[in-house]
Structures are given as structure tokens and as C-alpha cells.
């Protein structure tokens, strides 16, 4: 609280680091390994078990996870990959890293997630994969998406950067499709500073991912093309240094232990917002599908079209002036100049474009106090 102005400073999201997290990091700093030591394996195993996957591969960011997954899926020059425009740019950039072309399919105007019927419309002989994004933490219609993928022999890579702990038909996100990617950026559910994870049940994909995060290098005697001796290793394809450090993994292990507490606090705040805004005639609160439980990464208010005259921009600025970390998630990916230069144009995905005009993200994070939640509610009621 700023004493002079009575204005609070509430971010839209932030991490929650406690003494045991610091203890875990500090112990690793005193250990023999700062990177690629025992903490990486331990974090991967705990994570795989939590989401219900056979394998997990820790990498340096969520973006690296998406890049690695696109590589392992075999995306290359000339391939098309279908994704949503209502996401962070990384969900589409990872396709371009591999030489592929992102194809944007429109969203469902109720769930804001990619619409399976729109995916089908964009399938061509060049389509290789689908990257659904569980926007705000609410799972996409995965049965419909996986049916389409099966019929057209496409790989599914879930971008679950918003969805750690979410469930779809009582299965955790992370154990459903070919590969699922997570992010541990501080605004996400758990953090390692920067960090990411790919989960999969497929042993071949797992091996490729492991090799990709370390320059494409392997020491696995069984797959070496030559063997000059015990010192010998091979770089078999072009990989990257996408390794996570043991320091980060130690923090990840400690944070993962708290995921249920973090999730239930997120749900509690979302419920409070739902109730508080239910009677506001100019706001549409988030719509939840019955088959899934959201991980509530983001809470988004949508202004009803008939009230757009009040201006999203005015409301945004008013809330910002009260110290509330408002945001707009997201600017449709293909609006960015980089994408426009590649030939993408307005009008591609009408539902996503309409939604973009009307949305404001308000603060939601587990460490948020009840007092801060009420402050945000009062501000929204007064200013929107
Ligand atoms: C955060 C995020 C990413 C990227 O994760 P980083 O860890 O920041 O690289 C990718 N996709 C979505 C939808 C995200 O929100």
C-alpha cells in the first residue's frame, strides 16, 4: 500500500517462494552438482508421477519444451501445424523454429479454446501436428482433438503452460496426448525461475527429447554410429543447450510438493470472483465445461459486446491506476508485425479477434490475500 495515495500494488501473477524452497536451493548450491545431477532425475520422476505420464524431460523453459516437442514430432520445412491464435507467441514460434508453418484455427467463443471443428477445416495434406493450448488452465476438448488426430495421422502436442494440475474427464493434463509441454516461469503454477517440462508415454520420443536438450549428443552405446572407445560420444543431429540446472530442479521439486495447496487457493479465488461478478450485467465471467477442471492460471473478464461503448481501454487504465496488475491475454498471435510480415492478416479467426477487443485479465495467484481479492472486486465493480 502506498501510504500517500492509498493505492495498492497487486501484480496479475507472481510466485510463492517459502523457506523450504530456499533451503532446497541452498542445499543444491553446496552439493557436487549445479547442473544435470541427481535433482534433474528426481524432479522428472516426481513430475511424471504427478501428471500420470511414463516419462518427463526437464528443459530450460516452456518455450524450449515446445521447440523440443516439435523437433521430436518431426516437424520440418514445408509442414503445417494447427494451433490457436489466442495464446502466447511461443505456441506458434516453436513451429517456425523447426521450419514449419503455423496455421491458426479459430476459438470457441464460450471456452476461448481452439474449436475442434475449426481444426478440421484447416487440415491439408501438409498438416503434421496440432498444438492445442489449454487457455487460462481450462482443458481443450481433448477427445475431439485426439479423434481428429487419429483420423488424419497427426501428432498432438499440448501446450499446458496454463494447465498444470488441470483434469480432463478425471485424467490429469500431461498424460493424455503424444507430448505435453509445461512452463515454470514465475507467473505459472510452480516455478523454477525459468524452466519447462515435456511429458510423454512414448519411449522413442523420450529419447529424442533427452538428446535434443543436449546438442543432439548421445553416449548410448546401442545407437552410436561408430564407437572409437570409452571416451567416445556422438552428435547425431542439431540439438541445443536446453538443459535445466540442478539448482532449478531442486526448486521445482520443492514447489511441486505444494501444487495441491496452490491449486485449491487458485480455485477459491476464482470462485470468489465468479460470485462477485455474477450480477454485473456488462461482464461475462469465465465459462467452465463440465468434463474438465481448470487449473485457473488466469481469470479473464469479458465485456459484453453491447457494453463495449464503455471502452475496455478506459476500464483497463482505471484499474491500472488503482495499482491492479491488469493485462490482456492475448493479442492474437498473427497480429504481431513478425507474423504480418509473413503474410498473416486480420480476419483469419473472427472469434479470437472479437474476444481480444473485450478482455481484461485480473490478478490471480495463490499468495494473493483475501483483502487483495476484495480490493480487486471493489475496483472492478466501481470502474468497469
Ligand atoms: C508461458 C507460456 C509459454 C512459454 O513458457 P516460457 O517458460 O516462458 O518459455 C508457452 N505457451 C504459453 C501458453 C505460455 O503461457
Amino acid at each position: 500500500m502506498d501510504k500517500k495515495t492509498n493505492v495498492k500494488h497487486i501484480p496479475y501473477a507472481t510466485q510463492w517462494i517459502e523457506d523450504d524452497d530456499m533451503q532446497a536451493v541452498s542445499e543444491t548450491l553446496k552439493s557436487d552438482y549445479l547442473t544435470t545431477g541427481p535433482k534433474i532425475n528426481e524432479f522428472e520422476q516426481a513430475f511424471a508421477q504427478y501428471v500420470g505420464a511414463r516419462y518427463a524431460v526437464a528443459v530450460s523453459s516452456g518455450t524450449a519444451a515446445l521447440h523440443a516437442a516439435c523437433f521430436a514430432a518431426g516437424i520440418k520445412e514445408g509442414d503445417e501445424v494447427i494451433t490457436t491464435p489466442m495464446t502466447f507467441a511461443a505456441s506458434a514460434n516453436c513451429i517456425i523454429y523447426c521450419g514449419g508453418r503455423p496455421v491458426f484455427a479459430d476459438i470457441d467463443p464460450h471456452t476461448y479454446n481452439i474449436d475442434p471443428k475449426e481444426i478440421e477445416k484447416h487440415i491439408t495434406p501438409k498438416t503434421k501436428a496440432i498444438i492445442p493450448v489449454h487457455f487460462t488452465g481450462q482443458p481443450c476438448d481433448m477427445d475431439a482433438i485426439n479423434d481428429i488426430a487419429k483420423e488424419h495421422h497427426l501428432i498432438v502436442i499440448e501446450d499446458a503452460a496454463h494447465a498444470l494440475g488441470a483434469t480432463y474427464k478425471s485424467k490429469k493434463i500431461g498424460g493424455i496426448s503424444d507430448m505435453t509441454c509445461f512452463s515454470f516461469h514465475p507467473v505459472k503454477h510452480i516455478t523454477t525461475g525459468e524452466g519447462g517440462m515435456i511429458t510423454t508415454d512414448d519411449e522413442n520420443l523420450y529419447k529424442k527429447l533427452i538428446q535434443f536438450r543436449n546438442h543432439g549428443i548421445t553416449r548410448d552405446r546401442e545407437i552410436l554410429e561408430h564407437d572409437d572407445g570409452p571416451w567416445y560420444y556422438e552428435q547425431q543431429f542439431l540439438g541445443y543447450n536446453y538443459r535445466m540446472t540442478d539448482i532449478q530442479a531442486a526448486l521445482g521439486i520443492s514447489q511441486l510438493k505444494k501444487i495441491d495447496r496452490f491449486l485449491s487457493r487458485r480455485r477459491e479465488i476464482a470462485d470468489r470472483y465468479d460470485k462477485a461478478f455474477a450480477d454485473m450485467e456488462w461482464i461475462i465471467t469465465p465459462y467452465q465445461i463440465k468434463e474438465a477442471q481448470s487449473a485457473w492460471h488466469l481469470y479473464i473478464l469479458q465485456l459484453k459486446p453491447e457494453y463495449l461503448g464503455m471502452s475496455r481501454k478506459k476500464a483497463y487504465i482505471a484499474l491500472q491506476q488503482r495499482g491492479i496488475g491488469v493485462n490482456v491475454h492475448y493479442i492474437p498471435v498473427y497480429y504481431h508485425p513478425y507474423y504480418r510480415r509473413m503474410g498473416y492478416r486480420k480476419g483469419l479467426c473472427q472469434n479470437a479477434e472479437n474476444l481480444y477487443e473485450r478482455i481484461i485479465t485480473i490478478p490471480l495467484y495463490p499468495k494473493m490475500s483475501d483483502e487483495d481479492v476484495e480490493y480487486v472486486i471493489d475496483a472492478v465493480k466501481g470502474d468497469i
Side-chain angles (χ1 to χ4, degrees):
M1 182 84 74
D2 184 321
K3 287 204 180 82
K4 271 184 275 179
T5 57
N6 259 11
V7 166
K8 282 192 174 235
H9 296 284
I10 304 175
Y12 95 87
T14 190
Q15 71 275 10
W16 193 352
I17 300 292
E18 298 168 299
D19 286 348
D20 53 344
D21 298 310
M22 290 188 266
Q23 183 74 28
V25 168
S26 159
E27 274 165 26
T28 303
L29 283 170
K30 289 178 222 152
S31 77
D32 292 340
Y33 291 93
L34 295 188
T35 195
T36 321
K39 291 296 169 191
I40 293 294
N41 257 329
E42 194 183 327
F43 186 30
E44 288 173 340
Q45 279 176 22
F47 196 91
Q49 190 179 11
Y50 176 73
V51 302
R54 276 183 73 189
Y55 305 104
V57 177
V59 290
S60 52
S61 69
T63 304
L66 286 164
H67 185 186
C70 283
F71 172 83
I75 307 302
K76 55 183 187 326
E77 199 80 37
D79 291 338
E80 292 177 358
V81 179
I82 299 173
T83 190
T84 171
M86 193 41 69
T87 186
F88 184 57
S91 319
N93 291 346
C94 60
I95 302 162
I96 301 172
Y97 294 158
C98 294
R101 180 172 173 85
V103 173
F104 296 102
D106 208 355
I107 58 166
D108 175 309
H110 302 291
T111 64
Y112 313 160
N113 272 327
I114 195 166
D115 182 343
K117 290 193 294 292
E118 294 296 318
I119 294 176
E120 266 186 311
K121 282 189 201 162
H122 288 91
I123 291 175
T124 74
K126 290 180 177 173
T127 310
K128 190 87 173 248
I130 308 169
I131 305 183
V133 180
H134 307 301
F135 181 56
T136 73
Q138 167 158 246
C140 296
D141 185 350
M142 289 315 301
D143 280 355
I145 291 171
N146 280 318
D147 283 351
I148 294 168
K150 206 176 260 174
E151 190 187 330
H152 298 275
H153 308 288
L154 309 175
I155 290 176
V156 176
I157 300 166
E158 292 172 52
D159 181 340
H162 296 187
L164 177 58
T167 57
Y168 175 78
K169 297 195 172 169
S170 62
K171 262 191 113 169
K172 278 229 174 65
I173 292 297
I176 298 172
S177 304
D178 299 297
M179 286 176 276
T180 306
C181 299
F182 296 88
S183 163
F184 308 126
H185 182 277
V187 298
K188 306 290 164 64
H189 296 79
I190 63 169
T191 191
T192 60
E194 298 278 1
M197 191 79 80
I198 311 107
T199 57
T200 183
D201 284 342
D202 184 310
E203 192 182 351
N204 288 324
L205 291 174
Y206 169 69
K207 285 183 172 168
K208 258 189 219 164
L209 295 166
I210 290 279
Q211 207 170 333
F212 185 75
R213 80 168 166 199
N214 191 30
H215 308 278
I217 287 173
T218 185
R219 289 179 182 274
D220 182 348
R221 283 5 258 176
E222 281 175 28
I223 61 169
L224 289 181
E225 289 175 26
H226 309 279
D227 192 352
D228 288 355
W231 61 86
Y232 186 72
Y233 62 86
E234 266 177 3
Q235 183 198 335
Q236 298 181 321
F237 54 78
L238 186 64
Y240 292 76
N241 176 357
Y242 278 165
R243 297 185 302 265
M244 177 185 273
T245 66
D246 258 39
I247 307 164
Q248 291 169 306
L251 180 55
I253 295 162
S254 176
Q255 287 263 298
L256 188 60
K257 290 179 184 151
K258 307 158 185 219
I259 182 69
D260 289 334
R261 169 162 59 98
F262 285 178
L263 283 168
S264 68
R265 179 62 182 153
R266 283 179 179 278
R267 289 183 177 129
E268 206 170 79
I269 297 169
D271 280 349
R272 178 71 193 105
Y273 280 157
D274 278 347
K275 289 198 183 79
F277 304 133
D279 61 348
M280 287 187 72
E281 57 181 339
W282 42 87
I283 283 178
I284 300 172
T285 54
Y287 171 86
Q288 297 297 299
I289 60 168
K290 284 187 201 69
E291 299 80 11
Q293 218 188 355
S294 177
W296 285 111
H297 167 54
L298 300 173
Y299 194 93
I300 291 179
L301 299 171
Q302 184 189 164
L303 303 185
K304 284 188 186 166
E306 56 271 36
Y307 290 99
L308 268 184
M310 314 174 59
S311 159
R312 186 254 312 258
K313 194 171 181 178
K314 242 170 53 195
Y316 186 96
I317 292 169
L319 293 172
Q320 199 173 42
Q321 280 169 348
R322 286 170 166 254
I324 295 172
V326 279
N327 234 294
V328 172
H329 294 96
Y330 287 99
I331 303 155
V333 172
Y334 58 78
Y335 275 21
H336 291 293
Y338 173 74
Y339 280 85
R340 290 195 192 204
R341 282 199 295 273
M342 277 193 294
Y344 296 90
R345 288 288 175 266
K346 268 195 180 178
L348 271 180
C349 298
Q350 207 53 62
N351 291 340
E353 294 183 13
N354 290 344
L355 184 70
Y356 166 60
E357 300 297 331
R358 304 182 201 158
I359 45 176
I360 298 180
T361 304
I362 59 172
L364 171 59
Y365 50 93
K367 204 184 174 184
M368 201 176 173
S369 69
D370 287 342
E371 191 195 0
D372 287 349
V373 173
E374 297 307 319
Y375 179 88
V376 171
I377 290 169
D378 289 347
V380 167
K381 292 200 159 185
D383 286 318
I384 292 187

